[in-house]
Amino acid sequence: MKTEPRNYIDLTDQFEARVLDAQSFTHRDHIGVACQMLQRYDFLDAAARYGSALKDIAAKAGATGKFNTTVTLAFLGILAERMEVTAHENFDEFLVRNPDLFSRSLMDTWYSGERVSSAAARHVFLMPDRFKANAPAAG
């Protein structure tokens, strides 16, 4: 099923103003708005603005428990890197070249299910608990 193209500039404005309808805000919309914010602002500012707006929108929709700081920041990091290294002319082409952004298991590369769904992960950014063999030796 093909989705109708969205105006992510306008949707991002609505997102930042916290006036969009959370019920119709799809995963594709999350990606589109995040990409717009990463284009508008430097990474740290985009992350702060995106996280704050998403948390407020979730609370307004009665879904405060759905917001996850770890997932939000990790996903923004993945998007920022992909936007930098993926040749693309437009958002649709970016998505075609990065189909794993729609995968529910995307975070499994870096996080165990227990860690990423923990109460702590909802409130603070947790470092990944996978690929520990690549971590520098302590000491």
Side-chain angles (χ1 to χ4, degrees), residues 11-20 22 25 30 33-34 37 41 45-61 67 72 76:
L11 194 63
T12 301
D13 292 341
Q14 293 170 22
F15 180 83
E16 287 200 85
R18 284 115 166 120
V19 296
L20 62 77
F25 194 59
H30 276 268
V33 166
M37 292 185 82
Y41 309 110
D45 198 21
R49 289 171 178 262
Y50 185 87
S52 178
L54 187 59
K55 186 185 266 188
D56 289 349
I57 290 166
K60 195 173 178 182
F67 180 80
T72 300
L76 286 170

Side-chain angles (χ1 to χ4, degrees), residues 4-13 15-16 20 25-41 46 50 75-76 79 83 88 90-92 94-95 101-102:
E4 287 295 314
R6 298 276 290 229
N7 180 330
Y8 287 110
I9 294 171
D10 290 346
L11 194 63
T12 301
D13 292 341
F15 180 83
E16 287 200 85
L20 62 77
F25 194 59
T26 67
H27 183 68
R28 180 186 172 94
D29 293 340
H30 276 268
I31 297 169
V33 166
C35 287
Q36 275 297 312
M37 292 185 82
L38 288 164
Q39 290 173 341
R40 285 183 184 183
Y41 309 110
Y50 185 87
F75 198 77
L76 286 170
L79 282 177
M83 289 169 66
H88 61 283
N90 56 51
F91 182 64
D92 288 331
F94 175 74
L95 293 179
L101 295 175
F102 289 96

Side-chain angles (χ1 to χ4, degrees), residues 75-126:
F75 198 77
L76 286 170
I78 292 166
L79 282 177
E81 181 177 347
R82 298 281 182 86
M83 289 169 66
E84 186 71 24
V85 301
T86 304
H88 61 283
E89 293 293 321
N90 56 51
F91 182 64
D92 288 331
E93 186 177 339
F94 175 74
L95 293 179
V96 166
R97 292 176 183 243
N98 292 281
D100 62 327
L101 295 175
F102 289 96
S103 172
R104 292 197 178 272
S105 62
L106 179 63
M107 293 298 163
D108 293 354
T109 302
W110 301 279
Y111 292 94
S112 64
E114 299 78 32
R115 185 166 180 85
V116 78
S117 65
S118 70
R122 295 189 182 292
H123 301 289
V124 299
F125 176 74
L126 299 179

